[in-house]
Short mmCIF file of all heavy atoms in Angstrom, two decimals:
data_model
loop_
_atom_site.label_atom_id
_atom_site.label_comp_id
_atom_site.label_asym_id
_atom_site.label_seq_id
_atom_site.Cartn_x
_atom_site.Cartn_y
_atom_site.Cartn_z
N ASP A 269 -27.60 -15.87 4.74
CA ASP A 269 -27.98 -14.75 5.62
C ASP A 269 -27.03 -14.73 6.80
O ASP A 269 -26.80 -15.76 7.42
CB ASP A 269 -29.40 -14.95 6.18
CG ASP A 269 -30.43 -14.54 5.17
OD1 ASP A 269 -30.19 -13.53 4.48
OD2 ASP A 269 -31.45 -15.24 5.07
N CYS A 270 -26.53 -13.57 7.09
CA CYS A 270 -25.68 -13.45 8.28
C CYS A 270 -25.76 -11.99 8.72
O CYS A 270 -25.32 -11.09 7.98
CB CYS A 270 -24.24 -13.83 7.97
SG CYS A 270 -23.11 -13.52 9.33
N ASP A 271 -26.35 -11.77 9.87
CA ASP A 271 -26.46 -10.39 10.34
C ASP A 271 -25.08 -9.82 10.61
O ASP A 271 -24.26 -10.49 11.22
CB ASP A 271 -27.28 -10.32 11.64
CG ASP A 271 -28.76 -10.55 11.36
OD1 ASP A 271 -29.16 -10.34 10.19
OD2 ASP A 271 -29.48 -10.97 12.28
N PRO A 272 -24.85 -8.59 10.16
CA PRO A 272 -23.53 -8.00 10.45
C PRO A 272 -23.39 -7.67 11.93
O PRO A 272 -24.37 -7.28 12.57
CB PRO A 272 -23.53 -6.72 9.62
CG PRO A 272 -24.97 -6.39 9.43
CD PRO A 272 -25.73 -7.67 9.43
N GLU A 273 -22.23 -7.86 12.44
CA GLU A 273 -21.92 -7.48 13.83
C GLU A 273 -21.99 -5.96 13.93
O GLU A 273 -21.52 -5.26 13.02
CB GLU A 273 -20.50 -7.97 14.12
CG GLU A 273 -20.11 -8.03 15.54
CD GLU A 273 -20.81 -9.13 16.32
OE1 GLU A 273 -21.01 -10.25 15.79
OE2 GLU A 273 -21.15 -8.85 17.47
N TYR A 274 -22.58 -5.45 15.00
CA TYR A 274 -22.56 -3.99 15.21
C TYR A 274 -21.18 -3.63 15.77
O TYR A 274 -20.89 -3.93 16.92
CB TYR A 274 -23.65 -3.57 16.20
CG TYR A 274 -25.04 -3.51 15.60
CD1 TYR A 274 -25.35 -4.22 14.44
CD2 TYR A 274 -26.04 -2.75 16.19
CE1 TYR A 274 -26.62 -4.17 13.89
CE2 TYR A 274 -27.32 -2.70 15.64
CZ TYR A 274 -27.60 -3.41 14.49
OH TYR A 274 -28.86 -3.35 13.95
N MET A 275 -20.38 -2.97 14.96
CA MET A 275 -19.00 -2.68 15.37
C MET A 275 -18.91 -1.25 15.90
O MET A 275 -19.46 -0.32 15.31
CB MET A 275 -18.05 -2.82 14.18
CG MET A 275 -18.06 -4.19 13.53
SD MET A 275 -17.51 -5.48 14.64
CE MET A 275 -15.76 -5.13 14.72
N ASP A 276 -18.19 -1.11 17.00
CA ASP A 276 -17.85 0.24 17.47
C ASP A 276 -17.00 0.90 16.40
O ASP A 276 -16.17 0.25 15.78
CB ASP A 276 -16.98 0.15 18.72
CG ASP A 276 -17.82 0.20 19.97
OD1 ASP A 276 -19.05 0.28 19.85
OD2 ASP A 276 -17.22 0.16 21.06
N SER A 277 -17.15 2.21 16.26
CA SER A 277 -16.33 2.92 15.28
C SER A 277 -14.85 2.57 15.42
O SER A 277 -14.14 2.42 14.43
CB SER A 277 -16.47 4.43 15.48
OG SER A 277 -17.77 4.83 15.17
N GLU A 278 -14.38 2.46 16.65
CA GLU A 278 -12.95 2.25 16.88
C GLU A 278 -12.57 0.78 17.03
O GLU A 278 -11.43 0.47 17.38
CB GLU A 278 -12.48 3.06 18.09
CG GLU A 278 -12.24 4.54 17.78
CD GLU A 278 -11.19 4.79 16.70
OE1 GLU A 278 -10.30 3.95 16.49
OE2 GLU A 278 -11.28 5.84 16.03
N ASP A 279 -13.48 -0.16 16.76
CA ASP A 279 -13.09 -1.58 16.75
C ASP A 279 -12.12 -1.81 15.60
O ASP A 279 -12.28 -1.24 14.50
CB ASP A 279 -14.32 -2.48 16.57
CG ASP A 279 -15.05 -2.72 17.88
OD1 ASP A 279 -14.41 -2.59 18.95
OD2 ASP A 279 -16.26 -3.04 17.83
N ARG A 280 -11.16 -2.69 15.83
CA ARG A 280 -10.16 -2.95 14.79
C ARG A 280 -10.81 -3.57 13.55
O ARG A 280 -11.59 -4.51 13.66
CB ARG A 280 -9.11 -3.93 15.29
CG ARG A 280 -8.12 -3.32 16.25
CD ARG A 280 -6.92 -4.21 16.45
NE ARG A 280 -7.30 -5.58 16.75
CZ ARG A 280 -6.44 -6.60 16.79
NH1 ARG A 280 -5.17 -6.40 16.53
NH2 ARG A 280 -6.84 -7.80 17.08
N LEU A 281 -10.46 -3.05 12.39
CA LEU A 281 -10.93 -3.64 11.13
C LEU A 281 -9.85 -4.56 10.56
O LEU A 281 -10.12 -5.66 10.12
CB LEU A 281 -11.27 -2.53 10.14
CG LEU A 281 -11.65 -3.00 8.73
CD1 LEU A 281 -12.91 -3.86 8.75
CD2 LEU A 281 -11.84 -1.81 7.80
N PHE A 282 -8.61 -4.05 10.54
CA PHE A 282 -7.53 -4.92 10.06
C PHE A 282 -6.18 -4.47 10.57
O PHE A 282 -6.01 -3.35 11.05
CB PHE A 282 -7.52 -5.02 8.53
CG PHE A 282 -7.22 -3.75 7.77
CD1 PHE A 282 -5.92 -3.32 7.54
CD2 PHE A 282 -8.25 -2.99 7.23
CE1 PHE A 282 -5.65 -2.17 6.82
CE2 PHE A 282 -8.00 -1.83 6.50
CZ PHE A 282 -6.70 -1.42 6.29
N VAL A 283 -5.25 -5.43 10.46
CA VAL A 283 -3.84 -5.17 10.75
C VAL A 283 -3.12 -5.49 9.45
O VAL A 283 -3.37 -6.53 8.85
CB VAL A 283 -3.32 -6.09 11.87
CG1 VAL A 283 -1.85 -5.84 12.14
CG2 VAL A 283 -4.14 -5.90 13.15
N LEU A 284 -2.28 -4.59 9.00
CA LEU A 284 -1.53 -4.86 7.76
C LEU A 284 -0.06 -4.53 8.03
O LEU A 284 0.25 -3.42 8.46
CB LEU A 284 -2.10 -4.00 6.62
CG LEU A 284 -1.49 -4.21 5.25
CD1 LEU A 284 -1.63 -5.65 4.77
CD2 LEU A 284 -2.16 -3.29 4.22
N TYR A 285 0.79 -5.51 7.77
CA TYR A 285 2.21 -5.34 8.11
C TYR A 285 2.94 -4.56 7.02
O TYR A 285 2.70 -4.79 5.83
CB TYR A 285 2.86 -6.71 8.33
CG TYR A 285 2.44 -7.27 9.67
CD1 TYR A 285 1.22 -7.92 9.82
CD2 TYR A 285 3.21 -7.03 10.79
CE1 TYR A 285 0.79 -8.35 11.06
CE2 TYR A 285 2.79 -7.47 12.04
CZ TYR A 285 1.59 -8.12 12.17
OH TYR A 285 1.17 -8.53 13.40
N THR A 286 3.78 -3.65 7.46
CA THR A 286 4.58 -2.90 6.49
C THR A 286 5.96 -2.65 7.06
O THR A 286 6.15 -2.67 8.28
CB THR A 286 3.87 -1.59 6.09
OG1 THR A 286 4.55 -1.03 4.96
CG2 THR A 286 3.87 -0.56 7.21
N SER A 287 6.91 -2.40 6.17
CA SER A 287 8.30 -2.27 6.60
C SER A 287 8.60 -0.87 7.09
O SER A 287 8.10 0.11 6.56
CB SER A 287 9.22 -2.56 5.43
OG SER A 287 9.03 -3.88 5.02
N GLY A 288 9.46 -0.81 8.09
CA GLY A 288 9.94 0.47 8.58
C GLY A 288 11.45 0.52 8.49
O GLY A 288 12.08 -0.37 7.91
N SER A 289 12.02 1.58 9.09
CA SER A 289 13.48 1.74 9.06
C SER A 289 14.18 0.67 9.85
O SER A 289 15.25 0.22 9.51
CB SER A 289 13.85 3.05 9.73
OG SER A 289 13.63 4.10 8.90
N THR A 290 13.58 0.33 10.97
CA THR A 290 14.28 -0.57 11.90
C THR A 290 13.32 -1.64 12.36
O THR A 290 12.10 -1.51 12.23
CB THR A 290 14.72 0.22 13.15
OG1 THR A 290 13.59 0.94 13.63
CG2 THR A 290 15.84 1.18 12.83
N GLY A 291 13.88 -2.69 12.90
CA GLY A 291 13.06 -3.74 13.49
C GLY A 291 12.27 -4.52 12.45
O GLY A 291 12.43 -4.35 11.26
N LYS A 292 11.43 -5.39 12.96
CA LYS A 292 10.61 -6.22 12.07
C LYS A 292 9.47 -5.39 11.51
O LYS A 292 9.15 -4.33 12.05
CB LYS A 292 10.03 -7.37 12.89
CG LYS A 292 11.11 -8.31 13.38
CD LYS A 292 10.62 -9.73 13.38
CE LYS A 292 11.78 -10.64 13.64
NZ LYS A 292 11.63 -11.96 13.11
N PRO A 293 8.81 -5.88 10.45
CA PRO A 293 7.67 -5.12 9.93
C PRO A 293 6.63 -4.83 11.01
O PRO A 293 6.43 -5.63 11.93
CB PRO A 293 7.10 -6.07 8.87
CG PRO A 293 8.28 -6.85 8.43
CD PRO A 293 9.14 -7.04 9.64
N LYS A 294 6.00 -3.68 10.86
CA LYS A 294 5.05 -3.22 11.87
C LYS A 294 3.63 -3.58 11.45
O LYS A 294 3.27 -3.42 10.29
CB LYS A 294 5.08 -1.69 11.95
CG LYS A 294 6.42 -1.13 12.23
CD LYS A 294 6.40 0.38 12.13
CE LYS A 294 6.74 0.86 10.74
NZ LYS A 294 7.49 2.10 10.70
N GLY A 295 2.83 -4.00 12.42
CA GLY A 295 1.42 -4.27 12.15
C GLY A 295 0.64 -2.96 12.27
O GLY A 295 0.34 -2.50 13.35
N VAL A 296 0.33 -2.38 11.11
CA VAL A 296 -0.41 -1.11 11.10
C VAL A 296 -1.89 -1.41 11.38
O VAL A 296 -2.49 -2.24 10.70
CB VAL A 296 -0.23 -0.42 9.73
CG1 VAL A 296 -1.18 0.75 9.57
CG2 VAL A 296 1.21 0.01 9.55
#
Side-chain angles (χ1 to χ4, degrees):
D269 280 321
C270 173
D271 287 338
E273 196 70 39
Y274 282 21
M275 302 297 287
D276 267 1
S277 293
E278 281 300 334
D279 277 337
R280 285 194 310 171
L281 174 63
F282 64 84
V283 179
L284 183 59
Y285 284 82
T286 191
S287 298
S289 281
T290 51
K292 294 216 170 206
K294 304 173 268 215
V296 169

